[in-house]
mmCIF file of all heavy atoms in Angstrom:
data_model
loop_
_atom_site.group_PDB
_atom_site.id
_atom_site.type_symbol
_atom_site.label_atom_id
_atom_site.label_comp_id
_atom_site.label_asym_id
_atom_site.label_seq_id
_atom_site.Cartn_x
_atom_site.Cartn_y
_atom_site.Cartn_z
ATOM 1 N N CYS E 41 -19.203 -40.234 -53.337
ATOM 2 C CA CYS E 41 -20.084 -39.856 -52.237
ATOM 3 C C CYS E 41 -21.399 -39.336 -52.799
ATOM 4 O O CYS E 41 -21.495 -38.975 -53.977
ATOM 5 C CB CYS E 41 -19.401 -38.790 -51.370
ATOM 6 S SG CYS E 41 -20.266 -38.454 -49.806
ATOM 7 N N ASN E 42 -22.429 -39.313 -51.959
ATOM 8 C CA ASN E 42 -23.725 -38.765 -52.358
ATOM 9 C C ASN E 42 -23.954 -37.375 -51.782
ATOM 10 O O ASN E 42 -25.075 -36.869 -51.782
ATOM 11 C CB ASN E 42 -24.861 -39.709 -51.953
ATOM 12 C CG ASN E 42 -24.747 -40.198 -50.520
ATOM 13 O OD1 ASN E 42 -23.885 -39.737 -49.768
ATOM 14 N ND2 ASN E 42 -25.618 -41.110 -50.126
ATOM 15 N N LEU E 43 -22.880 -36.743 -51.273
ATOM 16 C CA LEU E 43 -22.912 -35.351 -50.851
ATOM 17 C C LEU E 43 -21.715 -34.620 -51.469
ATOM 18 O O LEU E 43 -20.734 -35.249 -51.869
ATOM 19 C CB LEU E 43 -22.850 -35.231 -49.325
ATOM 20 C CG LEU E 43 -24.123 -35.599 -48.544
ATOM 21 C CD1 LEU E 43 -23.847 -35.550 -47.041
ATOM 22 C CD2 LEU E 43 -25.283 -34.688 -48.903
ATOM 23 N N ALA E 44 -21.819 -33.303 -51.515
ATOM 24 C CA ALA E 44 -20.719 -32.481 -52.038
ATOM 25 C C ALA E 44 -20.388 -31.419 -50.995
ATOM 26 O O ALA E 44 -20.718 -30.244 -51.148
ATOM 27 C CB ALA E 44 -21.114 -31.838 -53.360
ATOM 28 N N CYS E 45 -19.726 -31.833 -49.918
ATOM 29 C CA CYS E 45 -19.429 -30.938 -48.798
ATOM 30 C C CYS E 45 -18.369 -29.915 -49.189
ATOM 31 O O CYS E 45 -17.399 -30.241 -49.878
ATOM 32 C CB CYS E 45 -18.956 -31.736 -47.597
ATOM 33 S SG CYS E 45 -20.129 -33.010 -47.057
ATOM 34 N N ALA E 46 -18.522 -28.697 -48.680
ATOM 35 C CA ALA E 46 -17.611 -27.613 -49.046
ATOM 36 C C ALA E 46 -16.191 -27.848 -48.556
ATOM 37 O O ALA E 46 -15.228 -27.382 -49.169
ATOM 38 C CB ALA E 46 -18.137 -26.289 -48.486
ATOM 39 N N GLY E 47 -16.039 -28.578 -47.447
ATOM 40 C CA GLY E 47 -14.715 -28.800 -46.890
ATOM 41 C C GLY E 47 -14.045 -30.071 -47.357
ATOM 42 O O GLY E 47 -12.976 -30.422 -46.869
ATOM 43 N N CYS E 48 -14.651 -30.783 -48.316
ATOM 44 C CA CYS E 48 -14.098 -32.046 -48.819
ATOM 45 C C CYS E 48 -14.175 -32.053 -50.329
ATOM 46 O O CYS E 48 -15.233 -31.800 -50.905
ATOM 47 C CB CYS E 48 -14.863 -33.231 -48.236
ATOM 48 S SG CYS E 48 -14.347 -34.820 -48.912
ATOM 49 N N GLY E 49 -13.064 -32.365 -50.976
ATOM 50 C CA GLY E 49 -13.039 -32.340 -52.430
ATOM 51 C C GLY E 49 -12.867 -33.692 -53.080
ATOM 52 O O GLY E 49 -12.482 -33.785 -54.245
ATOM 53 N N LYS E 50 -13.143 -34.770 -52.340
ATOM 54 C CA LYS E 50 -12.894 -36.092 -52.907
ATOM 55 C C LYS E 50 -13.731 -36.373 -54.147
ATOM 56 O O LYS E 50 -13.269 -37.035 -55.076
ATOM 57 C CB LYS E 50 -13.136 -37.173 -51.856
ATOM 58 C CG LYS E 50 -12.050 -37.228 -50.793
ATOM 59 C CD LYS E 50 -12.268 -38.367 -49.829
ATOM 60 C CE LYS E 50 -11.146 -38.402 -48.799
ATOM 61 N NZ LYS E 50 -11.359 -39.473 -47.800
ATOM 62 N N ILE E 51 -14.975 -35.884 -54.171
ATOM 63 C CA ILE E 51 -15.797 -36.182 -55.332
ATOM 64 C C ILE E 51 -15.408 -35.339 -56.535
ATOM 65 O O ILE E 51 -16.005 -35.457 -57.596
ATOM 66 C CB ILE E 51 -17.299 -36.000 -55.027
ATOM 67 C CG1 ILE E 51 -17.625 -34.534 -54.718
ATOM 68 C CG2 ILE E 51 -17.746 -36.903 -53.900
ATOM 69 C CD1 ILE E 51 -19.111 -34.263 -54.708
ATOM 70 N N ASP E 52 -14.380 -34.496 -56.380
ATOM 71 C CA ASP E 52 -13.858 -33.721 -57.496
ATOM 72 C C ASP E 52 -12.924 -34.554 -58.373
ATOM 73 O O ASP E 52 -12.531 -34.124 -59.449
ATOM 74 C CB ASP E 52 -13.116 -32.486 -56.970
ATOM 75 C CG ASP E 52 -12.650 -31.565 -58.082
ATOM 76 O OD1 ASP E 52 -13.477 -31.242 -58.944
ATOM 77 O OD2 ASP E 52 -11.463 -31.185 -58.100
ATOM 78 N N TYR E 53 -12.589 -35.761 -57.908
ATOM 79 C CA TYR E 53 -11.752 -36.628 -58.718
ATOM 80 C C TYR E 53 -12.478 -37.019 -60.001
ATOM 81 O O TYR E 53 -13.712 -37.067 -60.041
ATOM 82 C CB TYR E 53 -11.385 -37.893 -57.944
ATOM 83 C CG TYR E 53 -10.297 -37.712 -56.924
ATOM 84 C CD1 TYR E 53 -10.600 -37.557 -55.570
ATOM 85 C CD2 TYR E 53 -8.960 -37.709 -57.295
ATOM 86 C CE1 TYR E 53 -9.598 -37.400 -54.623
ATOM 87 C CE2 TYR E 53 -7.951 -37.549 -56.358
ATOM 88 C CZ TYR E 53 -8.280 -37.391 -55.025
ATOM 89 O OH TYR E 53 -7.291 -37.225 -54.092
ATOM 90 N N PRO E 54 -11.742 -37.336 -61.078
ATOM 91 C CA PRO E 54 -12.385 -37.780 -62.323
ATOM 92 C C PRO E 54 -13.104 -39.110 -62.121
ATOM 93 O O PRO E 54 -12.810 -39.868 -61.182
ATOM 94 C CB PRO E 54 -11.211 -37.919 -63.300
ATOM 95 C CG PRO E 54 -10.005 -38.090 -62.439
ATOM 96 C CD PRO E 54 -10.268 -37.287 -61.203
#
Side-chain angles (χ1 to χ4, degrees):
C41 190
N42 47 7
L43 286 175
C45 303
C48 175
K50 287 184 179 178
I51 65 168
D52 185 49
Y53 282 100

